[in-house]
Amino acid sequence: MNIKLLNSNIADINADILVEFLTSQELASHVDVRVLQQAGFKAEQDSICFLHEKGILFSGIDSKHSDDIRSATVSAIKALKASSYMSARLSVINNETLSALIEGFVLGGYEFNTYKSQPKEIHLKDIFFASNALDFKVIENTFHDAMIVAKATCFTRDIVNTAPQEMHPQSMVELAKQLAKDNKLGCEILQEKELEEEKMGAMLAVGRASIHGSALIHLSYKPANPKKIISLVGKGLTYDSGGLSLKPATSMVTMKMDKAGACGVLGMIKAASELKLDVEVHAFIGAVENMIGGNAYKPDDVLVSRSGTTIEVRNTDAEGRLVLADVLTYAQDTLKADYLFDFATLTGACMVALGQYTTGVMGHSSKLKHDFSKAGSKSGELISSLPFNRHLKKLLKSEIADISNTASKPYGGAITAGLFLEKFIHEDMKNRWLHFDIAGSAYTENAWDCNVYGGTGAGVRLMSNYLKNI
Ligand code: BES
Ligand code: ZN
Ligand code: ZN
């Protein structure tokens, strides 16, 4: 599917069908109101109606706000893909809603067909956006940037959706190397031997029972005069069986998505480099598989992390925080960044707290949380803050080590996981770090907004927006 922006009048564009957004108010005074009403179309949000004789597809909206435009576009693209039209045209409403249009088409029209031997045939080939606005250059820039971010989001989705027998830690290494080559990024890989030399005892323990070696991936995008230096850390559990604290069979299904933080971080650095942002971005990924076996790490083990902090393992399914503890430490030891952000499908508790659509954000800096809250509403990703407190912190106390990998009480699990990570943040970085729990928002089995079944690419639009406006 090609999407093109043309500097012309919509009437001058040749295409099989015109897409038109309508509010119920606009419907009332529309030339086609009678026939549309006969068809039962009330211009309700996300409802659609074809007028085939006239070559128009109407898509209902409650308002011209980006969120409404995005989801109405998703309804339109789904209807178009199911039709036999080969090309569509529509007018760019304004610069503010243009990204939402692109997200609707690209992300709402996304399919992952790698494993389908006979994917459904789609006739739709071309979508033409028309604008004859005076500030066409501005529109063109928005279009260009939004396409980069949407494609980076699809890149992230593809990796998340790839089956775990194919996307294991070593194939993630190969994929990162390829991205580095394509986008001219710096690339450093630490294999198990180096991880041992670097004393990454917590991360290594998690991956010990896997047949695939664990790896730390470090990609870097370094423009000439960066305004800021940003470190991104991603949880890359290519599979989370739970380890010896084995997950129940039904909870294990979908756990290929436990690498979504890493995949998101890869999409973010891809977008940053293609947008040519003047921000230096580093991506640190812990690529590990959590499995069972005779050499598996176990509840009761005490691990020595890279920082020297000892960790009592009470549940091998709380593995993400162990991997992140070492990768966060490594990232801070290697690089003096202005800000440090980690992305992880860390806890089921985050979904209990916020629902499956919202990313949980944790950290000490109100300013940073506020900046991301703005980036969230601008980019269309839902994020909400989960507050730390000292009472929850005490629940991580261990009788025999410096800290336990699970809290002693079951409530507030997303926050206690965040507080576990906080233990590994250097003093001078405490106000420069945020943790994003994407356990709910990174993967879905039901289509919602511009997300379809599978990986959503959570974090990519959010971070791209933040980095652009830093
Ligand atoms: N990867 C899971 C968290 C998760 C659960 C992500 C469901 C997406 C959907 C994580 O490693 C995990 O298993 N966490 C445990 C922590 C518990 C043992 C303290 C959890 O959330 O149950
Ligand atoms: Zn787990
Ligand atoms: Zn996990």
Side-chain angles (χ1 to χ4, degrees), residues 72-311:
T73 309
V74 174
S75 303
I77 184 63
K78 286 184 177 163
L80 288 172
K81 277 173 62 183
S83 77
S84 52
Y85 291 112
M86 291 176 66
S87 59
R89 62 190 169 121
L90 74 158
S91 292
V92 172
I93 303 166
N94 53 36
N95 189 51
E96 285 63 49
T97 54
L98 177 53
S99 304
L101 272 184
I102 291 167
E103 288 152 13
F105 277 114
V106 178
L107 303 179
Y110 170 89
E111 280 180 30
F112 182 74
N113 286 326
T114 306
Y115 305 119
K116 294 268 189 202
S117 39
Q118 272 159 343
K120 253 185 265 134
E121 200 190 340
I122 291 154
H123 300 278
L124 188 69
K125 297 273 176 300
D126 295 302
I127 298 165
F128 301 109
F129 285 28
S131 168
N132 50 13
L134 290 173
D135 58 349
F136 185 75
K137 264 251 116 7
V138 177
I139 300 274
E140 215 175 12
N141 280 337
T142 304
F143 180 86
H144 174 259
D145 288 5
M147 285 297 287
I148 287 175
V149 176
K151 283 182 186 166
T153 306
C154 293
F155 170 83
T156 292
R157 288 180 177 184
D158 283 345
I159 318 171
V160 173
N161 291 336
T162 301
Q165 90 271 23
E166 200 179 331
M167 189 50 64
H168 49 72
Q170 292 303 318
S171 33
M172 195 171 263
V173 166
E174 292 312 312
L175 188 136
K177 282 185 182 164
Q178 189 59 47
L179 175 64
K181 201 166 154 207
D182 294 344
N183 286 33
K184 301 194 172 60
L185 308 172
C187 177
E188 211 179 324
I189 308 291
L190 276 68
Q191 294 288 2
E192 288 192 345
K193 194 169 139 285
E194 286 93 5
L195 294 175
E196 269 157 33
E197 283 162 16
E198 293 289 341
K199 302 197 169 354
M200 317 259 300
M203 173 172 170
L204 279 165
V206 174
R208 209 164 54 214
S210 170
I211 57 162
H212 307 288
S214 304
L216 188 150
I217 301 165
H218 175 194
L219 296 185
S220 50
Y221 162 64
K222 294 181 173 179
N225 292 303
K227 273 197 273 189
K228 288 273 186 286
I229 302 177
I230 309 291
S231 278
L232 303 173
V233 169
K235 170 178 173 181
L237 262 290
T238 61
Y239 203 71
D240 181 11
S241 68
L244 289 179
S245 313
L246 197 64
K247 285 183 184 292
T250 51
S251 313
M252 209 183 293
V253 183
T254 72
M255 275 305 137
K256 66 172 183 183
M257 60 80 108
D258 215 19
K259 60 187 180 298
C263 305
V265 161
L266 288 173
M268 291 170 206
I269 198 165
K270 176 177 161 72
S273 61
E274 291 170 12
L275 292 167
K276 301 193 168 62
L277 299 182
D278 50 2
V279 182
E280 185 171 318
V281 182
H282 293 258
F284 296 90
I285 287 166
V288 185
E289 189 182 53
N290 187 19
M291 299 298 280
I292 54 172
N295 60 344
Y297 84 125
K298 42 196 167 300
D300 291 354
D301 275 351
V302 174
L303 311 177
V304 184
S305 68
R306 175 179 170 82
S307 70
T309 300
T310 57
I311 307 166

Side-chain angles (χ1 to χ4, degrees), residues 237-461:
L237 262 290
T238 61
Y239 203 71
D240 181 11
S241 68
L244 289 179
S245 313
L246 197 64
K247 285 183 184 292
T250 51
S251 313
M252 209 183 293
V253 183
T254 72
M255 275 305 137
K256 66 172 183 183
M257 60 80 108
D258 215 19
K259 60 187 180 298
C263 305
V265 161
L266 288 173
M268 291 170 206
I269 198 165
K270 176 177 161 72
S273 61
E274 291 170 12
L275 292 167
K276 301 193 168 62
L277 299 182
D278 50 2
V279 182
E280 185 171 318
V281 182
H282 293 258
F284 296 90
I285 287 166
V288 185
E289 189 182 53
N290 187 19
M291 299 298 280
I292 54 172
N295 60 344
Y297 84 125
K298 42 196 167 300
D300 291 354
D301 275 351
V302 174
L303 311 177
V304 184
S305 68
R306 175 179 170 82
S307 70
T309 300
T310 57
I311 307 166
E312 178 190 359
V313 177
R314 293 183 70 87
N315 190 319
T316 62
D317 198 12
E319 84 301 332
R321 61 195 75 184
L322 300 173
V323 173
L324 287 180
D326 276 351
V327 181
L328 282 165
T329 306
Y330 180 84
Q332 293 170 94
D333 292 348
T334 316
L335 188 80
K336 179 87 195 81
D338 293 293
Y339 299 114
L340 170 64
F341 304 124
D342 76 73
F343 285 80
T345 47
L346 205 61
T347 65
C350 189
M351 268 185 281
V352 177
L354 298 173
Q356 71 166 112
Y357 311 110
T358 305
T359 295
V361 58
M362 282 153 262
H364 294 295
S365 165
S366 310
K367 159 87 170 72
L368 275 181
K369 284 188 270 188
H370 179 258
D371 290 348
F372 272 96
S373 160
K374 261 202 336 221
S377 22
K378 284 255 186 285
S379 65
E381 283 197 43
L382 299 174
I383 73 164
S384 186
S385 170
L386 294 170
F388 287 156
N389 69 61
R390 64 183 191 282
H391 308 289
L392 284 170
K393 193 172 183 164
K394 286 188 209 144
L395 305 181
L396 290 165
K397 210 173 147 313
S398 163
E399 293 297 331
I400 66 154
D402 298 336
I403 192 168
S404 163
N405 83 328
T406 53
S408 55
K409 291 211 169 70
Y411 305 117
I415 301 176
T416 50
L419 284 165
F420 179 92
L421 300 181
E422 197 257 2
K423 177 100 176 158
F424 298 87
I425 303 300
H426 296 172
E427 211 47 56
D428 61 333
M429 290 302 287
K430 294 256 195 232
N431 265 304
R432 299 165 174 269
W433 160 74
L434 287 181
H435 157 58
F436 294 84
D437 193 330
I438 54 171
S441 55
Y443 195 85
T444 183
E445 294 187 286
N446 304 98
W448 62 277
D449 194 50
C450 57
N451 302 308
V452 297
Y453 184 98
T456 63
V460 178
R461 282 185 287 150

